[in-house]
């Protein structure tokens, strides 16, 4: 993940008092999220989408060019409702990719996290391919991104069984045929009597 430097001229800084009085995230009557700007706008399908929207509301753009680009993307979807519906359908299956990769980087991921990462990579590729098939006119860095996601998905699917256990120590995680040495050790374990007779 890249670190992105935010400059003062890119976004408007809203302090806690301003956010409270404008009822961006919490209403003044109860302090809850009902009847706030976020509750009106948030129709996101993924956790990372929800965090991005919160970030946009907390630091609104000041530069005209990126603001216009956002509006053009929204207009693109408004004019292609079927594409919007399809992307939302696919995105509803996307899990929290930043948290998954964070757990992997911290070496705290369990086998099901890897399976979830594989599935999520596949769903994101479907979104990219759908947008490209609909002549998406904005930058995706698509070929490089699609290729990377496909490699990650393929590697995990090649090594990991379809429904791995949660605990790493449970064993039986690696697909048969992936490692000759592991297959041999499994055969020794499962057929010890036959091996001794031979």
């Amino acid at each position: 993940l890249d670190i992105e430097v935010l400059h003062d001229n890119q976004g408007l800084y809203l302090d806690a008092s301003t956010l409270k009085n404008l009822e961006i995230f919490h209403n003044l009557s109860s302090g809850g999220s009902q009847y706030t700007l976020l509750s009106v706008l948030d129709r996101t399908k993924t956790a990372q989408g929800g965090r991005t929207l919160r970030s946009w509301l907390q630091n609104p753009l000041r530069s005209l060019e990126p603001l216009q680009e956002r509006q053009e993307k929204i207009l693109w979807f408004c004019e292609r409702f079927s594409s919007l519906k399809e992307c939302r359908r696919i995105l509803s299956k996307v899990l929290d990719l930043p948290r998954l990769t964070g757990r992997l980087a911290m070496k705290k991921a369990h086998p099901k996290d890897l399976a979830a990462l594989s599935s999520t990579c596949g769903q994101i590729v479907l979104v990219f391919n759908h947008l490209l098939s609909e002549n998406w006119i904005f930058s995706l860095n698509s070929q490089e991104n699609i290729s990377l996601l496909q490699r990650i998905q393929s590697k995990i699917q090649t090594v990991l069984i379809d429904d791995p256990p949660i605990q790493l120590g449970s064993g039986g995680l690696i697909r048969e045929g992936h490692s000759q040495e592991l297959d041999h050790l499994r055969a020794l374990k499962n057929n010890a009597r036959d091996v001794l007779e031979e």
Side-chain angles (χ1 to χ4, degrees), residues 69-89 127 129-138:
E69 184 178 338
R70 279 186 196 171
Q71 291 174 340
E72 287 169 7
K73 289 175 180 176
I74 292 169
L75 179 63
W76 190 91
F77 278 112
C78 287
E79 293 173 345
R80 297 165 180 81
F81 185 73
S82 60
S83 284
L84 173 62
K85 191 174 178 182
E86 177 63 9
C87 285
R88 286 175 60 79
R89 183 191 69 78
V127 172
N129 286 335
H130 174 76
L131 291 175
L132 291 172
S133 73
E134 293 291 316
N135 299 315
W136 177 255
I137 59 175
F138 307 98

Side-chain angles (χ1 to χ4, degrees), residues 36-48:
T36 61
L37 181 59
L38 179 64
S39 71
V40 172
L41 296 178
D42 192 0
R43 298 294 179 268
T44 55
K45 286 292 186 180
T46 66
Q48 51 265 46

Side-chain angles (χ1 to χ4, degrees), residues 12-90:
L12 182 66
Y13 174 73
L14 301 181
D15 60 25
S17 177
T18 303
L19 291 170
K20 179 181 177 182
N21 289 321
L22 291 176
E23 297 185 299
I24 305 293
F25 303 124
H26 305 285
N27 65 56
L28 289 172
S29 58
S30 67
S33 60
Q34 195 176 17
Y35 310 121
T36 61
L37 181 59
L38 179 64
S39 71
V40 172
L41 296 178
D42 192 0
R43 298 294 179 268
T44 55
K45 286 292 186 180
T46 66
Q48 51 265 46
R51 286 195 295 271
T52 298
L53 179 60
R54 287 182 69 91
S55 173
W56 286 0
L57 292 176
Q58 189 162 2
N59 299 107
L61 287 172
R62 295 173 65 181
S63 302
L64 185 60
E65 188 176 334
L67 185 59
Q68 287 175 329
E69 184 178 338
R70 279 186 196 171
Q71 291 174 340
E72 287 169 7
K73 289 175 180 176
I74 292 169
L75 179 63
W76 190 91
F77 278 112
C78 287
E79 293 173 345
R80 297 165 180 81
F81 185 73
S82 60
S83 284
L84 173 62
K85 191 174 178 182
E86 177 63 9
C87 285
R88 286 175 60 79
R89 183 191 69 78
I90 299 170

Side-chain angles (χ1 to χ4, degrees), residues 45 91 124 137 168 191 194:
K45 286 292 186 180
L91 286 171
I124 296 171
I137 59 175
L168 190 61
N191 305 295
D194 294 342

Side-chain angles (χ1 to χ4, degrees), residues 97-163:
L97 189 58
R99 295 216 172 154
L100 285 172
T101 53
R103 282 204 291 269
L104 283 167
M106 298 294 291
K107 301 188 185 312
K108 292 186 176 180
H110 51 70
K112 283 199 178 294
D113 286 333
L114 286 172
L117 176 62
S118 172
S119 170
T120 292
C121 286
Q123 296 302 317
I124 296 171
V125 169
L126 288 178
V127 172
F128 278 2
N129 286 335
H130 174 76
L131 291 175
L132 291 172
S133 73
E134 293 291 316
N135 299 315
W136 177 255
I137 59 175
F138 307 98
S139 173
L140 281 174
N141 294 323
S142 54
Q143 205 50 55
E144 182 182 341
N145 286 332
I146 289 173
S147 177
L148 174 61
L149 291 167
Q150 286 174 327
R151 287 200 307 273
I152 293 170
Q153 183 184 23
S154 175
K155 182 68 174 176
I156 294 172
Q157 286 180 339
T158 301
V159 176
L160 202 65
I161 62 173
D162 291 334
D163 187 21

